[in-house]
Amino acid sequence: MKILNLTPKAAPYLLAILLLTAVLPGNAWAAGEPTADTGDTTFIIFSAALVLLMTPGLALFYGGMVRKKNVLGTTMQSVIAIVLISLQWIIIGYTLAFGPDKAGLIGGLEWLGLKDVGLTPNPDYAATIPAQVFMVFQMMFAILTPALISGAIAERMRFPAYVAFVLLWATLVYDPVAHWVWGVDGWIRTLGALDFAGGTVVHILSGVSALVACLVLGKRKNRPTEPTLPHNIPMVVMGAALLWFGWFGFNAGSALGANGIAAAAFVTTNTAAAAAALSWLAAEWMHHGKPTVLGLVSGAVAGLVAITPAAGFVTPMAAIIIGIISGVLCYFMIAVVKGKLGYDDSLDAFGMHSVGGTWGAIATGLFATTTVNPAGADGLFYGDPSLLFKQLIAVVATYAFAALATFIILKAVGLVFKLRVSPEEEEAGLDITQHGEDAYRDFAVSGSVVRSERVVVHTPVIEAKTIN
Amino acid sequence: MKKIEAIIRPAKLDDIKEALGKFGIHGMTVTEVIGCGLQKGKKEVYRGTEYTIDLLPKIKIEIIIKDKWVDEVVRIIINTARTGEIGDGKIFVYPVENAVRIRTGEGGEEAI
């Protein structure tokens, strides 16, 4: 019986893949190797699933904030990262980030295609969970980070250029910096700077890259009478809720075990989110006279960003201070400074992730204490100023590298693909021009099937709309 | 026959519908519309930036009636829709040449 309908052209490739799989060493259980702890393994597998959920959450968070003609394009920019980085990480990303160190700067290619990344723990990273569980947990962070950048370039980047950018950025920016901070012998890790769950690697890195990306692409071309207002705030709230929920996997899971540090990180995470939501709301209430729902959920995300590097190193009371300051600081950057400087960071990827992340990295240098986590360090308020200095070095290095590398990558992508949609396409929206879909078909459709053999395409009719 | 087109505050729709019903008018076409006039726009705030939204939501009611009822219907709408503040809306009266009930084909005032 013929099971696979292969064209003669595809057969050799399939054969090659099968052979390659057979040649790669299996995951043998050798005597004396560390064994996985069932509780830790269970917890990290579920944490990985929680972190994965943050990316669709981000799609809703961002998607609700754009105009309705761009909601699918914006959603796509988040969820395509799941697809792209799931593969990139297996093939090359993981080995670049966590593979055997090369000069403190990057992992080697020894673990290409997950060679030698097996089912026994790698004590260098997590002694009680299978190496593949650690790998897949880290994969979810690598997926979320490039998706965060899309907030700055929303409503104007062409899809092919975005895909190329995400793949290059993940490989040339995220993977090396993840190695600096978390890889064995990575230079920031060796320096002794602390980043519990990715304040530097995820948030500063994506936030700074987002600012550079929105400057390279330029502002959206909307008329002054057509402000770019959020089209669906309940959708933003739903996205923020999924982010908050997923963040427990992100931060508590970064303890890499079902233990007290995970509990501490869970508590500080929730605490900082609440404190920042409240402080943003208060700042907005005083500034404009109304507490908004968008403000509350934005504040919560600002708090979650800021606590990320500190989660497993600080006390719950410190988390309140970190949260309060993050909410006010991010609000000030977004509501006041952004307007004065005039850059078009559409959904405030820089204002949330870089600003909140930088404050979190500094706060870790202030509030970290070994009474919470003996594996951490004492910050300035616990008698040791040196940690703060190390945190600042890590922040400055990340800013510089992210800005330079993102600029070069975008210029390189721009040589092959057009980065921006045309003014006409921008006017029509990304949904129709980039993806051929309309998110909300609230008027009657009149059209016909243009091509039916393989794909059904309906041609939408431009309707005269009175209100929506 | 005349067509009465009233642009009103959305909150007044139910009152007007009820008042017209009492008068004996049960048929109307209602549309959600947006527009601008003397009324100032509304203020909205998103992430600390204020916006003035110039086009405001209104309701448009269209009724076709016999000529002799025009003054009375206009008076009912005014009495029901008026708050005295800017933004109460407007009423327009148009002549109608004919009306046809699609189901029966009957025309003229019988069809309204």
Side-chain angles (χ1 to χ4, degrees):
Chain A
M1 194 176 70
K2 199 174 172 189
I3 303 168
L4 284 169
N5 186 9
L6 285 174
T7 60
K9 224 174 151 187
Y13 291 109
L14 190 77
L15 198 65
I17 291 167
L18 287 173
L19 277 174
L20 196 67
T21 319
V23 168
L24 290 172
N27 305 307
W29 290 81
E33 282 183 349
T35 49
D37 176 275
T38 53
D40 289 350
T41 304
T42 308
F43 176 55
I44 301 307
I45 285 178
F46 274 90
S47 290
L50 281 179
V51 180
L52 175 73
L53 196 59
M54 291 173 74
T55 302
L58 186 74
L60 290 168
F61 187 67
Y62 279 171
M65 273 190 275
V66 296
R67 288 164 292 176
K68 64 181 182 177
K69 63 185 178 181
N70 292 318
V71 58
L72 296 177
T74 304
T75 301
M76 188 66 138
Q77 287 174 346
S78 286
V79 294
I80 194 70
I82 299 177
V83 178
L84 295 173
I85 306 303
S86 287
L87 300 173
Q88 182 268 0
W89 191 249
I90 297 281
I91 295 165
I92 191 167
Y94 183 66
T95 192
L96 290 178
F98 291 95
D101 178 74
K102 303 289 178 246
L105 295 174
I106 196 157
L109 295 175
E110 285 88 340
W111 299 350
L112 203 64
L114 297 192
K115 186 174 173 297
D116 297 336
V117 181
L119 304 182
T120 49
N122 177 351
D124 287 343
Y125 291 117
T128 60
I129 60 174
Q132 285 200 2
V133 173
F134 177 75
M135 179 282 298
V136 84
F137 179 64
Q138 288 295 337
M139 175 198 282
M140 302 312 172
F141 289 63
I143 289 170
L144 178 68
T145 310
L148 291 170
I149 299 174
S150 69
I153 50 88
E155 305 193 298
R156 57 198 186 280
M157 192 161 181
R158 284 182 70 243
F159 187 63
Y162 180 78
V163 168
F165 171 73
V166 163
L167 282 172
L168 287 171
W169 190 88
T171 308
L172 303 175
V173 182
Y174 182 84
D175 295 344
V177 176
H179 184 78
W180 297 359
V181 177
W182 290 328
V184 168
D185 295 331
W187 75 267
I188 291 179
R189 175 169 166 159
T190 308
L191 176 74
L194 297 178
D195 184 1
F196 189 74
T200 307
V201 180
V202 174
H203 297 292
I204 296 181
L205 200 59
S206 62
V208 172
S209 300
L211 179 64
V212 172
C214 85
L215 291 172
V216 170
L217 262 84
K219 291 181 185 185
R220 286 168 291 178
K221 294 196 188 319
N222 44 301
R223 293 181 295 273
T225 51
E226 186 211 11
T228 50
L229 304 181
H231 87 284
N232 189 336
I233 290 183
M235 187 193 267
V236 179
V237 175
M238 207 172 358
L242 286 176
L243 285 171
W244 192 327
F245 180 69
W247 227 292
F248 291 129
F250 199 93
N251 285 3
S254 288
L256 296 173
N259 53 37
I261 302 297
F266 196 112
V267 171
T268 55
T269 299
N270 196 61
T271 307
L278 197 61
S279 73
W280 180 305
L281 204 63
E284 188 176 57
W285 207 339
M286 286 186 267
H287 191 189
H288 286 289
K290 291 245 169 59
T292 67
V293 173
L294 180 62
L296 186 145
V297 297
S298 302
V301 171
L304 290 163
V305 169
I307 199 64
T308 295
F313 299 123
V314 301
T315 65
M317 288 310 288
I320 293 181
I321 300 170
I322 292 171
I324 288 175
I325 293 179
S326 185
V328 174
L329 192 66
C330 291
Y331 177 79
F332 178 74
M333 282 300 294
I334 290 165
V336 181
V337 177
K338 184 173 89 159
K340 289 214 159 69
L341 295 180
Y343 57 92
D344 188 15
D345 177 2
S346 319
L347 312 177
D348 300 308
F350 174 75
M352 300 286 271
H353 296 279
S354 197
V355 174
T358 304
W359 159 239
I362 293 168
T364 307
L366 300 174
F367 293 103
T369 166
T370 48
T371 58
V372 170
N373 189 342
D378 281 322
L380 182 65
F381 295 156
Y382 292 87
D384 189 354
S386 71
L387 178 61
L388 183 60
F389 183 65
K390 292 168 189 168
Q391 296 298 101
L392 288 172
I393 293 175
V395 168
V396 170
T398 309
Y399 265 73
F401 181 68
L404 188 68
T406 302
F407 183 78
I408 293 170
I409 290 171
L410 278 171
K411 287 295 171 191
V413 171
L415 294 176
V416 184
F417 300 98
K418 227 168 66 154
L419 294 178
R420 261 192 94 121
V421 292
S422 70
E424 295 76 27
E425 287 171 328
E426 199 175 325
E427 180 73 34
L430 299 184
D431 296 5
I432 287 290
T433 62
Q434 301 300 298
H435 307 294
E437 294 172 290
D438 186 3
Y440 309 104
R441 196 177 299 288
D442 43 12
F443 271 66
V445 175
S446 168
S448 56
V449 177
V450 176
R451 195 177 63 202
S452 63
E453 313 91 69
R454 293 169 64 193
V455 191
V456 178
V457 181
H458 294 284
T459 46
V461 176
I462 306 297
E463 331 92 342
K465 292 184 181 179
T466 49
I467 182 175
N468 201 307
Chain B
M1 285 177 293
K2 291 279 192 287
K3 174 170 133 177
I4 297 192
E5 188 179 289
I7 314 282
I8 57 155
R9 292 184 188 274
K12 292 290 183 186
L13 174 63
D14 282 345
D15 292 348
I16 293 174
K17 197 164 161 288
E18 198 184 323
L20 291 174
K22 273 184 194 157
F23 183 71
I25 294 175
H26 299 289
M28 65 184 69
T29 304
V30 177
T31 320
E32 290 184 46
V33 294
I34 48 174
C36 52
L38 294 176
Q39 195 178 5
K40 278 196 192 128
K42 60 184 170 179
K43 190 181 92 171
E44 292 182 11
V45 182
Y46 298 99
R47 280 191 171 165
T49 303
E50 277 184 28
Y51 301 89
T52 308
I53 308 301
D54 296 324
L55 291 171
L56 298 172
K58 296 283 170 191
I59 292 283
K60 183 169 80 174
I61 304 174
E62 289 162 290
I63 322 164
I64 314 296
I65 50 172
K66 291 179 182 168
D67 292 354
K68 58 183 177 185
W69 292 347
V70 168
D71 292 344
E72 186 64 7
V73 167
V74 167
R75 193 182 55 77
I76 290 172
I77 294 174
I78 288 173
N79 288 345
T80 322
R82 178 185 284 165
T83 68
E85 304 292 321
I86 288 174
D88 277 350
K90 280 194 177 65
I91 300 170
F92 306 101
V93 180
Y94 307 84
V96 174
E97 194 167 299
N98 195 10
V100 177
R101 191 184 304 276
I102 293 175
R103 175 168 54 87
T104 59
E106 60 194 316
E109 291 187 350
E110 295 303 311
I112 63 177

